Amino acid sequence: MNDTNVSLTVLTRLADELTDLTPEARKAATYVLENPRDVGVSTVREIAEAAQVKPNTVVRMARQIGFDGYEDFREPFRDAIRRGAADFPDRVRWLQDIRRSGALGELYADMVQGALRNIEDTFAGITANALQTAAETIWASRNVFTLGVGVNNSNACNFTYLASTGMVQFSAIPRPGSTAVDDLAWADARDVLIAITCKPYRTEVVEAVQIAREQGVRVIALSDSPASPIIRGADHGFVVAAETPQFFPSSVSTIALLETLLSFVIAVASDEVVKRVETFHKRRHQLGIYDEGAS
């Protein structure tokens, strides 16, 4: 949407004020942070009902971050597209209905549009400076632990695999037969944890982030909302758009962001990384890992 940067600024202010709000206002703020596109198409009463608070609570929330009232607060979101909210089982049934109706062309278009929109929305809310700062934190660290479970386990492993072609301090956790908190047992302020989880947030990831912070580990969090329990309090937090017609959160923007973050790490690293990558691939050729005869 055209007002992405404006609404993002509002969401950032709201996230910063979250802990200072009353419990009821915090409920309203959390709903807005998790459903920003609903704001532009909903009245104050509809938002209040959805957040299970009173309408005047929503108004007070808006005023606390500098707006005259709800209408003023809503203005940056007016052109937003309503955010889908179907539960996983509902989306599965919907997909099957499309298949039976022969409307897979429509599904194809929705998937492509959703993937492109997720990429645009994600990078519209992230600056090069934020990525550079996170990359410098990673490069200066002793160990980098990348944590993802479920679908994000493969995303964490892919990031770690790519990083390992030039660097040795990266580990994907939880390791086989272990738990994330055990893998972080000896981590401290010299280390970095890159944590990934989207709604519904995985308990083991949330707990690992909490423990890592207690141990002084610097946390880089990737999640789908400024109100995510791993984003709040992270040293570097990145919100990824994960909407999709599918029944599971999309990984497209997560993968794109991780690849971009890794490219920034390489950019801020010393020249030895380039030599290590060259050596890594030369070794692969020598071991016959690549099919040299393939066209």
Side-chain angles (χ1 to χ4, degrees):
M1 60 185 178
N2 294 333
D3 61 346
T4 296
N5 291 327
V6 177
S7 59
L8 180 71
T9 301
V10 176
L11 293 173
T12 300
R13 286 160 56 188
L14 194 58
D16 290 342
E17 295 283 344
L18 199 61
T19 56
D20 296 328
L21 297 173
T22 65
E24 286 297 290
R26 194 177 306 134
K27 285 172 61 177
T30 298
Y31 179 84
V32 169
L33 287 167
E34 294 181 349
N35 303 273
R37 289 185 176 88
D38 283 0
V39 177
V41 295
S42 302
T43 66
V44 64
R45 290 188 178 277
E46 288 170 336
I47 291 294
E49 183 178 353
Q52 298 182 343
V53 298
K54 295 179 179 179
N56 60 358
T57 300
V58 178
V59 174
R60 285 199 303 271
M61 173 204 72
R63 288 175 176 168
Q64 180 151 350
I65 62 169
F67 291 92
D68 293 334
Y70 178 74
E71 288 303 315
D72 187 27
F73 172 80
R74 187 172 78 156
E75 192 61 33
F77 301 92
R78 282 192 179 276
D79 295 329
I81 300 171
R82 183 178 293 276
R83 186 175 185 265
D87 292 333
F88 286 2
D90 291 336
R91 291 191 177 184
V92 172
R93 284 190 287 270
W94 177 68
L95 285 172
Q96 290 300 313
D97 288 342
I98 289 179
R99 181 175 297 276
R100 283 192 290 270
S101 69
L104 291 182
E106 181 179 350
L107 174 60
Y108 176 77
D110 287 344
M111 291 297 294
V112 172
Q113 184 181 24
L116 295 174
R117 185 170 58 243
N118 283 342
I119 294 289
E120 291 175 352
D121 287 353
T122 296
F123 285 98
I126 297 172
T127 66
N129 286 339
L131 281 169
Q132 180 179 344
T133 303
E136 290 170 346
T137 299
I138 290 172
W139 176 243
S141 67
R142 178 184 62 171
N143 297 305
V144 179
F145 301 94
T146 309
L147 169 60
V149 296
V151 68
N152 282 312
N153 179 253
S154 61
N155 296 332
C157 289
N158 180 64
F159 176 82
T160 301
Y161 169 76
L162 292 174
S164 68
T165 62
M167 294 167 279
V168 297
Q169 73 268 37
F170 287 76
S171 300
I173 61 173
R175 297 185 176 98
S178 183
T179 65
V181 293
D182 284 343
D183 293 333
L184 293 169
W186 309 116
D188 57 34
R190 296 170 291 179
D191 304 315
V192 168
L193 171 64
I194 302 174
I196 314 165
T197 187
C198 292
K199 186 182 275 190
Y201 307 118
R202 292 293 293 262
T203 302
E204 57 264 61
V205 177
V206 175
E207 291 178 347
V209 167
Q210 292 173 340
I211 290 173
R213 290 178 60 197
E214 291 171 3
Q215 295 174 195
V217 177
R218 285 160 295 178
V219 175
I220 298 173
L222 279 67
S223 193
D224 59 349
S225 166
S228 166
I230 70 167
I231 291 283
R232 300 199 307 268
D235 296 276
H236 309 279
F238 298 102
V239 176
V240 295
E243 288 299 307
T244 174
Q246 266 286 7
F247 63 93
F248 47 77
S250 171
S251 289
V252 171
S253 56
T254 297
I255 295 170
L257 178 56
L258 286 171
E259 289 181 354
T260 305
L261 177 59
L262 182 57
S263 72
F264 270 66
V265 175
I266 299 298
V268 303
S270 62
D271 292 341
E272 83 177 278
V273 172
V274 177
K275 296 177 181 177
R276 289 180 65 89
V277 172
E278 290 176 347
T279 301
F280 183 90
H281 284 282
K282 181 179 179 181
R283 176 178 176 274
R284 284 187 155 193
H285 284 287
Q286 291 172 340
L287 293 173
I289 292 176
Y290 298 127
D291 184 356
E292 304 293 352
S295 58

